[in-house]
Amino acid sequence: MNRLTAVPNLLSLDAVTVGLVWMSIFSIQFLNRWPHGYEYISIGGAIWIIYTADRILDGLAVTDDVTATERHRFHRQHRRRMTLLWCVAVTTVAWVAATAATERQLRGGILMIAFAICYLVSAQWLNRARTLTPKEFRAGILFAFGVTLTCWTSTESPPLGSLAICTFLAAGLFTINCLLVSTLEIKIDSVQGSDSLARRIPLRTASQTFWIVAHAITTTGALVTGHAPTAIAFSILLSDACLFAYAHKVLRPDPTCGRFVQHAGVVRSHAALKASLADASLIVAPLLWITVS
């Protein structure tokens, strides 16, 4: 995989970008303003902290004879540096939040920290167990509430009913994204014995299409009935279209799927590049709306 293309995925910058873009569209729509600088730092930093912590912990279990993704081997090889950066990020986010956030935002942030800790514990110590909610659902829900936290904790009184519906729809979108990515890594999950929805229910193109179309129909219904603002509904529907194309073009049957090549101590695969494309599918729509509006 091209080195430049690998950087965002290895450093979790693609997830941070997705989070900040969606936080922007929600804030513009429900609060009639762009997020403040400290909100970008707090939410973006929190996303990076959670992703990086998860990968550092995953890297601890990686050995030379264990099949693993490139990002997990990267965090194993650079564990000390990434841990140092992680500590700097935690300190920075804590200081910014403590000095700039409102009391309601701090309370909401503490609640999200509790949820994030629960997610990390479940992802690390229950990943081999068949839990009631697969990891894709937990990740999608946590991500959705994270990017909408500024709206939920705002004193500007956004319409809570519409915000709840849009948060639910965003959680569905992020869950589908996680589901498609886990489909790419199903062979690794099988080797490691990790649980995932992709392993529970073998997802073929038809079933992937069903979930995406069902989500798009639900979003359209919310738009038509006036429960979802046009900007949010447009961004979600176009993202669904991007994921639909992704599922049919990128995740189509490939004889090289699951083929891993050992190079310089790192296991590389087509899945790494495809995972970045999945995240890119979530960025296009809100960026397009923000640009033209």
Side-chain angles (χ1 to χ4, degrees):
M1 185 177 61
N2 183 276
R3 185 180 298 274
L4 183 61
T5 306
V7 170
N9 184 262
L10 292 179
L11 297 179
S12 305
L13 299 179
D14 48 356
V16 173
T17 303
V18 172
L20 294 183
V21 168
W22 279 93
M23 182 179 74
S24 297
I25 194 73
F26 267 90
S27 182
I28 292 172
Q29 181 61 44
F30 285 100
L31 305 181
N32 296 313
R33 64 170 176 83
W34 285 82
H36 299 304
Y38 75 87
E39 292 172 334
Y40 276 123
I41 295 174
S42 299
I43 298 300
I47 293 173
W48 189 86
I49 287 168
I50 295 170
Y51 270 76
T52 302
D54 189 43
R55 293 177 178 184
I56 290 175
L57 293 173
D58 281 337
L60 295 176
V62 174
T63 59
D64 292 336
D65 59 344
V66 173
T67 301
T69 62
E70 184 176 357
R71 65 180 181 272
H72 289 142
R73 288 193 175 272
F74 173 85
H75 283 77
R76 172 179 177 264
Q77 293 173 352
H78 303 280
R79 181 170 64 251
R80 291 184 178 179
R81 294 178 182 177
M82 295 306 298
T83 301
L84 177 60
L85 287 176
W86 186 86
C87 292
V88 172
V90 170
T91 302
T92 302
V93 170
W95 179 81
V96 170
T99 57
T102 65
E103 183 178 349
R104 292 185 63 177
Q105 289 176 331
L106 288 174
R107 289 200 300 266
I110 292 173
L111 184 61
M112 290 305 301
I113 290 174
F115 287 150
I117 292 175
C118 291
Y119 169 78
L120 287 174
V121 170
S122 66
Q124 291 299 318
W125 287 277
L126 299 178
N127 61 342
R128 294 178 182 274
R130 190 182 179 91
T131 56
L132 181 62
T133 56
K135 64 179 182 180
E136 294 89 348
F137 282 101
R138 299 195 299 269
I141 294 171
L142 179 63
F143 202 92
F145 276 100
V147 301
T148 60
L149 184 62
T150 54
C151 297
W152 285 107
T153 57
S154 174
T155 58
E156 299 167 44
S157 301
L160 295 183
S162 179
L163 178 59
I165 291 175
C166 289
T167 302
F168 170 79
L169 294 173
L173 178 68
F174 300 143
T175 298
I176 292 173
N177 173 263
C178 293
L179 185 57
L180 295 180
V181 172
S182 69
T183 301
L184 294 171
E185 301 176 353
I186 188 171
K187 292 183 179 295
I188 293 179
D189 286 340
S190 298
V191 171
Q192 296 179 347
S194 299
D195 180 53
S196 70
L197 186 58
R199 286 192 64 198
R200 296 186 192 185
I201 308 174
L203 294 177
R204 300 177 177 83
T205 302
S207 55
Q208 294 166 356
T209 300
F210 169 79
W211 290 111
I212 295 172
V213 171
H215 183 259
I217 292 175
T218 303
T219 303
T220 302
L223 173 63
V224 172
T225 58
H227 291 93
T230 303
I232 303 297
F234 169 84
S235 298
I236 293 177
L237 288 172
L238 185 53
S239 295
D240 279 332
C242 291
L243 290 179
F244 181 89
Y246 175 87
H248 281 260
K249 297 298 182 181
V250 180
L251 291 183
R252 67 184 185 279
D254 186 347
T256 65
C257 182
R259 181 182 299 171
F260 299 92
V261 179
Q262 185 77 23
H263 177 70
V266 179
V267 175
R268 298 180 183 272
S269 76
H270 295 288
L273 177 58
K274 291 181 178 180
S276 294
L277 292 177
D279 287 336
S281 299
L282 302 182
I283 298 174
V284 174
L287 271 184
L288 179 61
W289 180 271
I290 291 173
T291 301
V292 301
S293 62

